Amino acid sequence: MKRLFLLRHGEASFSNSSDFQRQLTKKGRENLIRMGGRLNSSLQTVDLMYCSAATRTMETAEIIEKYISIKESVFTKDIYTGDMRNIIEMLEKTSIAVNTCLVVGHNPTISLLLSHISGDNYLGLQPGMMAIIDLEISDWKMIGYGTGTLNEVIQ
């Protein structure tokens, strides 16, 4: 069995510059720190993290890494610019040796991915919310519609 963690970046400020460079707000940082404290007891290590290369998602990952150990990280603009299918294709290419994977991304894609994999109704993740999905697969190549069960939502 594999486990997938989907994390929507923390609350971000509005910007006169590009959306890609938006930073977390003070409230967004505080909420992530609070959530990180809740993760410490239930989640110790993540084998692989895929994170959007946008500023706010990288800042989110930096905060979360203070609470859990992340063995390997991949930062990619594909999560920012892509759609749900892009993320599924990325997950399908994940090594079979990876048992736990964290995706730090953006809405609506991250919430659509949650609904697709769990086969449940749409659940809109708010900024800084994490969904934990237990996958009933032995290889990431098998990930798809209804292959997981929503275990918990942490905020």
Side-chain angles (χ1 to χ4, degrees):
M1 184 169 81
K2 307 289 185 189
R3 186 168 258 195
L4 178 63
F5 303 88
L6 300 176
L7 175 59
R8 183 175 174 194
H9 63 77
E11 180 184 271
S13 62
F14 291 98
S15 174
N16 292 332
S17 61
S18 78
D19 180 71
F20 190 76
Q21 296 173 334
R22 289 174 49 209
Q23 297 180 327
L24 295 178
T25 63
K26 180 181 178 189
K27 179 182 174 187
R29 289 179 179 282
E30 290 169 352
N31 288 344
L32 286 166
I33 290 167
R34 198 170 20 262
M35 187 196 64
R38 291 187 202 113
L39 290 176
N40 209 14
S41 59
S42 61
L43 175 62
Q44 301 290 319
T45 304
V46 169
D47 295 328
L48 175 62
M49 174 180 67
Y50 292 113
C51 182
S52 164
T55 301
R56 60 191 177 275
T57 47
M58 292 194 306
E59 289 175 340
T60 297
E62 183 180 316
I63 291 169
I64 294 305
E65 284 184 287
K66 293 176 182 171
Y67 298 93
I68 57 174
S69 171
I70 297 174
K71 294 181 181 177
E72 181 183 352
S73 300
V74 175
F75 296 90
T76 175
K77 199 168 184 178
D78 291 342
I79 295 172
Y80 176 79
T81 59
D83 57 20
M84 185 180 69
R85 185 71 221 152
N86 294 103
I87 298 175
I88 289 174
E89 287 172 0
M90 183 177 58
L91 289 167
E92 288 173 336
K93 294 175 186 171
T94 301
S95 167
I96 194 169
V98 170
N99 290 312
T100 54
C101 182
L102 167 64
V103 177
V104 184
H106 310 268
N107 252 5
T109 309
I110 204 83
S111 293
L112 289 170
L113 185 62
L114 167 60
S115 296
H116 181 79
I117 292 172
S118 68
D120 289 338
N121 290 331
Y122 182 84
L123 171 64
L125 295 176
Q126 298 302 306
M129 286 178 70
M130 176 185 283
I132 302 172
I133 304 171
D134 292 328
L135 298 168
E136 298 164 22
I137 59 174
S138 58
D139 190 325
W140 292 98
K141 292 176 188 171
M142 300 164 66
I143 197 166
Y145 179 79
T147 56
T149 303
L150 176 60
N151 178 306
E152 184 178 6
V153 175
I154 301 172
Q155 55 184 16

